[in-house]
Amino acid sequence: DLVFAPSRHIAEWVKAKGWDLPGPVFHQPNLIQIPEFSLPPPKSASIREIVFFGRIQPRKGLFEFCDAIDLLTAEQLSGVTIGFLGAHVTSPVDSRAHVNTKAAGWPCQTVILDRFSREEALAYLRRPGVLAVIPSRRETFSNTVYECQNLGIPFLAANTKGIPELIRPEDIPHVLFDLTPRALAEKLGEALRSPPSPVPSRHDP
């Protein structure tokens, strides 16, 4: 009778695959529960930790993120921690092993945080000086972006299908990047020089 789709991207993808969607299609962002924290959102501060936020796997942009960190200089990474916040996988690659191999050549501390609950993960990101990075290769709807937006967490995200729909047009140049290591490294360099401010969602949760 009708279809609810979390994003226009997924509805268009379904149509492109040859499915006929009968009746009206309603674009309804996923309904997610936003945790309540006793402390206010973090205030703007110099970036002291860059955190890969999402399941630690290639589909979520693991390789592009690590390659982007390779391109940053020792001066840029001085005093900065690189974090990986999400469940790790062992197939098609062992993500923990990949991170450890890459991190051996980085001139900074690295932490893998793969056993946090959702509430613990979001509380970790809400600390001052933390920048969440969401370099996902594809998304039908990005809960990680939506959570950052509604909790006042500064973030950068890949300009991949499903994500731009959550961003106000005026905020797109500030928080989105093309999913290449070079483009992400340049965006991280900008953030280290001038920390980005949190941006709200286009949708009222």
Side-chain angles (χ1 to χ4, degrees), residues 7 19 26 61 70 75-76 85 94 117 130 133 151 153 162 164 166 193:
S7 66
W19 289 70
F26 294 94
D70 283 342
E75 182 180 2
Q76 287 175 306
L85 181 57
D94 187 315
S117 67
V130 174
V133 180
L151 287 170
I153 298 168
L166 294 172
R193 291 191 299 272

Side-chain angles (χ1 to χ4, degrees), residues 1 35 40-41 133 156 163 201:
D1 298 318
V133 180
L156 300 174
I163 292 179
S201 174

Side-chain angles (χ1 to χ4, degrees), residues 32 50 74 81 86 126 133 135 149 160-161 176 187:
I32 61 174
I50 298 170
T81 297
R126 292 179 86 247
V133 180
Q149 290 175 317
T160 48
K161 298 295 186 179
L176 296 188
K187 205 72 175 177

Side-chain angles (χ1 to χ4, degrees), residues 34-37 41-42 122 126 146-153 198:
I34 303 298
E36 293 185 3
F37 294 99
L122 293 173
R126 292 179 86 247
Y146 206 42
E147 289 169 330
C148 287
Q149 290 175 317
N150 287 294
L151 287 170
I153 298 168

Side-chain angles (χ1 to χ4, degrees), residues 9 45 62 71 88 94 127 129 148:
H9 162 63
L62 174 64
L71 295 174
H88 77 277
D94 187 315
R127 296 174 302 128
C148 287

Side-chain angles (χ1 to χ4, degrees), residues 45-51 68-69 71-82 108 129-131 133 156 184-196:
S46 298
I47 302 302
R48 309 317 302 165
E49 185 165 354
I50 298 170
V51 179
I69 301 300
L71 295 174
L72 297 178
T73 67
E75 182 180 2
Q76 287 175 306
L77 291 173
S78 176
V80 175
T81 297
I82 305 299
C108 59
V130 174
L131 176 67
V133 180
L156 300 174
L184 175 51
E186 291 176 355
K187 205 72 175 177
L188 289 172
E190 294 173 8
L192 290 168
R193 291 191 299 272
S194 178

